[in-house]
């Protein structure tokens, strides 16, 4: 069983937020914290994530909106601006357990009031749906997105939310319809990325790569969402065996956005595939020094396993469980992450299946969930259950190498 690559939506451009600043920045953020104790703080970024003047602009933008709340604590617009800012900071810094609940707090405060401004309500609901997606609360995200689209049927990004939620819930035909609407309204980085993901799901790998190349080319160099899109393109190349092309994408990201930890960790994964374990470990430590991303820690444990450092691997794996629990307590659905750790690192397939089945109960038509369960049941020699989930995983004709490997292994096992 491997970690699943998922398309994490970048629903809002940080540049758009910064261009919409209103008012003057306060002289100090500390002042804003004291005057507005109910407003969640902006956490400091690791120096490697400052990205030129970006961090200064983020701080100024935060301070400007806090100042507006000082003047009018019930003002919805600055709360919405801060919620959007927090969702971006969660992606950039990896501080998910802090920022996502903080964003939801502000969004729910807005929605608790009667909102006469239709556009403001639409943007608030859209933002909330995006946060719920990031927390893997897919059914809730879908319902919130549907509520938002009733207010504005001509906004491309709300259809992006509906694409993502439907994909994760296994409603693939509906996801395609939403993607068609999205790209018709606005063909850009975010719509091309959705088209790419849907093409991959349906077995059109070449078409998926082409669409993701278009997405990456349409993004502004150095922006976080451009880096994430190029990372996804690299992962596509890597997943389907084109390591050199993947490496080039990750290296380009680091040229355009130095210190981007996800690209560093992706290069570490390539080094692991090439069995250059010393290089892989060095790169992983560099990524972990920037943000506390649980995925990087899992990679490090897997590296220790492959290099025979069994006790160290187990120790690191056990340290991951509290990290997952912290995310879970913040509202993040971590069922598949638990399944991954228990299956791959702690050799407990029973517990892995327990968590994977929890996710299956939430979204039984999702091909990735069924692929994970098929793999786990093959390991347990429960071939009847494996075959059931394998057939569900094949419903879109995906050419995912993991799906092919599980299918081949099941065929070999049942022929013996």
């Amino acid at each position: 069983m491997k970690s699943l690559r998922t398309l994490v939506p970048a629903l809002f451009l940080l540049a758009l937020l910064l261009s919409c600043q209103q008012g003057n920045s306060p002289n100090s953020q500390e002042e804003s914290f004291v005057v507005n104790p109910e407003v969640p703080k902006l956490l400091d970024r690791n120096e490697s994530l400052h990205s030129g003047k970006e961090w200064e602009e983020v701080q100024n933008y935060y301070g400007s909106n806090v100042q507006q709340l000082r003047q009018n604590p019930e003002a919805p617009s600055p709360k919405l601006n801060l919620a959007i800012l927090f969702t971006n900071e969660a992606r950039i810094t990896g501080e998910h357990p802090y920022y996502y609940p903080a964003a939801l707090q502000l969004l729910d405060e807005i929605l608790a009031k009667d909102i006469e401004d239709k556009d403001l309500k639409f943007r608030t609901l859209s933002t909330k749906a995006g946060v719920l997606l990031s927390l893997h609360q897919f059914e809730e995200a879908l319902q919130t997105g549907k509520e938002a689209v009733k207010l504005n049927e001509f906004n491309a990004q709300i259809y992006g939310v509906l694409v993502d939620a439907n994909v994760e819930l296994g409603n693939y035909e509906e996801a395609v319809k939403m993607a068609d609407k999205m790209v018709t309204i606005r063909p850009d980085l975010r719509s091309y990325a959705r088209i790419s993901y849907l093409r991959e799901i349906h077995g059109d790998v070449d078409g998926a790569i082409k669409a993701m190349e278009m997405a990456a080319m349409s993004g502004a160099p150095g922006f976080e969402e451009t880096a994430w899109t190029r990372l996804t393109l690299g992962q596509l190349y890597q997943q389907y065996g084109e390591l050199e092309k993947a490496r080039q994408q990750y290296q380009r990201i680091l040229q355009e956005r130095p210190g981007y930890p996800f690209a560093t960790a992706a290069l570490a994964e390539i080094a692991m595939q090439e069995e250059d374990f010393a290089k892989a470990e060095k790169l992983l430590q560099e990524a972990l020094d920037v943000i506390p991303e649980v995925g990087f820690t899992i990679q490090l444990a897997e590296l220790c396993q492959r290099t025979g450092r069994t006790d160290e691997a187990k120790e690191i794996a056990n340290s991951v469980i509290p990290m997952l629990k912290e995310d879970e307590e913040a509202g993040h659905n971590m069922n598949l992450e638990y399944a991954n750790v228990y299956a791959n690192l702690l050799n407990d397939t029973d517990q892995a299946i327990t968590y994977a089945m929890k996710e299956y109960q939430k979204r039984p038509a999702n091909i990735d969930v069924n692929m994970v369960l098929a793999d786990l049941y093959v390991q347990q020699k429960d071939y009847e259950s494996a075959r059931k989930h394998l057939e569900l995983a094949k419903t879109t004709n995906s050419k995912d190498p993991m799906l092919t490997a599980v299918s081949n292994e099941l065929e070999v096992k049942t022929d013996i």
Side-chain angles (χ1 to χ4, degrees):
M1 180 177 157
K2 67 172 184 179
S3 300
L4 297 177
R5 179 180 65 78
T6 57
L7 182 66
V8 180
L11 299 178
F12 302 95
L13 280 167
L14 186 57
L16 177 61
L17 293 175
L18 299 178
S19 69
C20 295
Q21 293 185 36
Q22 299 175 4
N24 298 317
S25 302
N27 292 329
S28 72
Q29 289 182 48
E30 188 60 38
E31 179 186 4
S32 70
F33 298 158
V34 173
V35 176
N36 298 275
E38 74 282 2
V39 178
K41 292 184 179 181
L42 178 68
L43 303 181
D44 194 13
R45 283 189 189 180
N46 184 294
E47 188 175 349
S48 300
L49 297 174
H50 284 188
S51 298
K53 291 186 176 182
E54 180 182 288
W55 177 232
E56 180 182 346
E57 292 172 335
V58 166
Q59 293 177 87
N60 289 339
Y61 187 70
Y62 173 83
S64 174
N65 283 281
V66 170
Q67 187 177 56
Q68 292 176 60
L69 287 174
R70 177 196 309 166
Q71 296 167 355
N72 180 4
E74 298 302 318
S77 291
K79 289 184 178 182
L80 175 58
N81 292 341
L82 290 174
I84 295 171
L85 181 65
F86 288 162
T87 64
N88 279 282
E89 286 301 296
R91 286 163 49 82
I92 291 169
T93 66
E95 295 288 354
H96 308 145
Y98 174 78
Y99 276 123
Y100 288 140
L104 284 178
Q105 171 194 321
L106 294 168
L107 295 167
D108 286 338
E109 286 177 11
I110 298 170
L111 294 169
K113 308 286 185 181
D114 290 330
I115 304 174
E116 295 182 0
D117 186 331
K118 181 179 176 181
D119 180 63
L120 176 69
K121 185 173 183 180
F122 167 77
R123 290 186 292 119
T124 303
L125 287 168
S126 298
T127 305
K128 182 174 181 178
V131 175
L132 291 170
L133 277 175
S134 296
L135 291 171
H136 296 179
Q137 296 181 27
F138 302 120
E139 183 59 44
E140 295 85 349
L142 179 61
Q143 296 310 315
T144 305
K146 285 181 175 180
E147 189 177 350
V149 83
K150 291 177 184 177
L151 299 172
N152 186 347
E153 297 180 358
F154 305 102
N155 179 280
Q157 299 322 310
I158 191 58
Y159 289 107
V161 171
L162 297 178
V163 171
D164 298 333
N166 278 299
V167 163
E168 297 298 346
L169 292 169
N171 306 328
Y172 298 110
E173 289 186 12
E174 186 66 16
V176 170
K177 293 177 184 177
M178 297 300 101
D180 285 343
K181 288 186 177 183
M182 184 182 187
V183 77
T184 298
I185 295 170
R186 185 166 184 173
D188 64 0
L189 178 152
R190 288 162 283 182
S191 55
Y192 291 141
R194 266 72 176 206
I195 294 298
S196 170
Y197 198 41
L198 286 166
R199 286 178 177 176
E200 184 200 353
I201 287 169
H202 290 89
D204 182 6
V205 177
D206 291 341
I209 290 173
K210 182 177 179 180
M212 195 60 74
E213 287 173 340
M214 293 172 66
M217 287 188 293
S218 66
F223 277 67
E224 192 274 341
E225 71 168 8
T226 306
W228 189 267
T229 303
R230 199 167 287 284
L231 178 79
T232 307
L233 174 59
Q235 290 172 327
L236 264 174
Y237 283 132
Q238 187 175 349
Q239 184 176 3
Y240 292 95
E242 298 192 65
L243 292 188
E244 191 52 42
K245 288 185 178 180
R247 193 193 329 267
Q248 290 170 5
Q249 293 300 321
Y250 304 147
Q251 290 171 341
R252 178 167 174 177
I253 293 169
L254 293 171
Q255 289 172 357
E256 296 178 352
R257 192 177 177 91
Y260 190 64
F262 295 100
T264 304
L267 287 171
E269 191 172 345
I270 287 180
M272 285 179 64
Q273 285 184 253
E274 296 176 335
E275 299 188 353
D276 188 345
F277 299 117
K279 181 178 180 180
E281 187 162 0
K282 177 178 179 295
L283 289 168
L284 277 175
Q285 290 294 350
E286 287 178 11
L288 281 164
D289 286 343
V290 176
I291 64 172
E293 177 67 25
V294 64
F296 303 164
T297 306
I298 291 172
Q299 277 183 258
L300 184 60
E302 291 172 346
L303 186 148
C304 289
Q305 274 188 339
R306 292 192 60 185
T307 53
R309 294 142 61 188
T310 308
D311 291 342
E312 189 176 350
K314 188 173 182 179
E315 182 180 350
I316 295 171
N318 284 324
S319 76
V320 169
I321 300 299
M323 296 169 70
L324 296 179
K325 187 169 292 186
E326 182 185 12
D327 272 326
E328 189 176 33
E329 290 171 352
H332 200 157
N333 174 7
M334 305 299 286
N335 287 333
L336 288 187
E337 287 78 5
Y338 276 117
N340 177 34
V341 171
Y342 279 109
N344 289 350
L345 302 180
L346 297 176
N347 299 316
D348 188 343
T349 53
D350 287 336
Q351 192 74 314
I353 287 174
T354 297
Y355 278 106
M357 283 302 298
K358 284 183 182 180
E359 197 60 23
Y360 176 76
Q361 296 302 321
K362 290 177 178 289
R363 43 196 187 120
N366 180 273
I367 60 172
D368 289 332
V369 174
N370 280 288
M371 181 167 60
V372 168
L373 280 165
D375 184 27
L376 290 169
Y377 279 123
V378 168
Q379 292 180 43
Q380 282 209 329
K381 300 181 180 180
D382 182 350
Y383 302 130
E384 182 178 350
S385 296
R387 193 175 302 282
K388 167 193 166 183
H389 289 288
L390 184 62
E391 291 307 309
L392 290 170
K394 288 181 173 182
T395 53
T396 62
N397 298 313
S398 169
K399 292 185 173 64
D400 189 305
M402 177 181 170
L403 182 60
T404 302
V406 173
S407 181
N408 290 342
E409 186 175 3
L410 180 60
E411 186 176 340
V412 169
K413 297 289 187 183
T414 53
D415 281 347
I416 294 176

